[in-house]
Every structure is written in C-alpha cells, then in structure tokens.
Amino acid sequence: MPEILEGLKCDIRATVEAAVFTTEVNRRDSLQYITSEYHTIPASPPHRVRLDEVPDRDSGLVIAGYTEGQSLPSLQGQFFVDWIMGYVWFHSSDRGKIVNPRYFGKG
C-alpha cells in the first residue's frame, strides 16, 4: 500500500508542476502572422499591452514608428518585448497612443 501512495504522490506532483511551471499556453505547431491587432498604450503605469498571442522571438516583432530595445524603454518611441508572457512595454511618454504590432504568433 505505501508503494501505491508513493506512486500516486509522484504522479500528482508531476501534474501540478506541469500546470504551474508551463509558461506558454495554447501553443500550436505552425506560426501565424498577426497583422490586425491594435492596442492603446495605457495612460497609467504600467505602460504595457498584452499581445493576443505569444510572439515568436526568432521571427521578431515590428511596430511602425518604434524601435525595439533590450531592456525596459528609457526613451520615447522604444519598446521592450517579454517573449515568454507576450507583454510589450512602452515608455511613459507614449501613453495613449495606438499601436499595431506585427509578429508571428505561437498561439
């Protein structure tokens, strides 16, 4: 009986860890090019938007009139992508602007 309980305990632990530590959800096997997504940069912090899909880092992300940075934006017209959670961060001076990110989505 204890061996059965140990096995069940391991199965439950694996299931919980898979559910808790999975960062990408709804992932599909092929990428889809997203072009018709629009967001308004929030007026109050945090100045970020959440994309409809998780973007593919290898394919990149383009927003007309903006340049991508490697850290949180320090200047107007910059953005930073959280490639795991699908957030795009903007400088506070860009608040209220409408952006149209173009990227390949994973789902």
Side-chain angles (χ1 to χ4, degrees):
M1 185 76 147
E3 291 176 16
I4 293 172
L5 292 177
E6 275 302 311
L8 181 60
K9 182 178 169 184
C10 289
D11 289 345
I12 291 172
R13 181 179 298 148
T15 301
V16 169
E17 286 177 357
V20 172
F21 297 110
T22 299
T23 56
E24 295 183 15
V25 295
N26 298 328
R27 186 178 170 124
R28 62 174 158 267
D29 292 332
S30 61
L31 300 175
Q32 180 177 346
Y33 190 52
I34 309 296
T35 60
S36 60
E37 183 174 332
Y38 293 88
H39 297 279
T40 302
I41 301 169
S44 58
H47 304 291
R48 70 178 184 193
V49 298
R50 181 148 193 198
L51 300 173
D52 292 343
E53 298 195 18
V54 174
D56 178 56
R57 185 179 199 139
D58 295 333
S59 302
L61 186 141
V62 175
I63 301 174
Y66 290 83
T67 57
E68 182 182 353
Q70 299 303 313
S71 60
L72 291 176
S74 58
L75 299 170
Q76 181 177 2
Q78 291 181 336
F79 69 91
F80 171 73
V81 181
D82 176 342
W83 296 101
I84 300 206
M85 298 302 294
Y87 285 108
V88 180
W89 297 79
F90 296 90
H91 190 265
S92 60
S93 60
D94 291 318
R95 64 185 174 267
K97 294 181 180 175
I98 297 173
V99 291
N100 171 223
R102 295 171 181 260
Y103 61 97
F104 283 91
K106 296 179 181 182

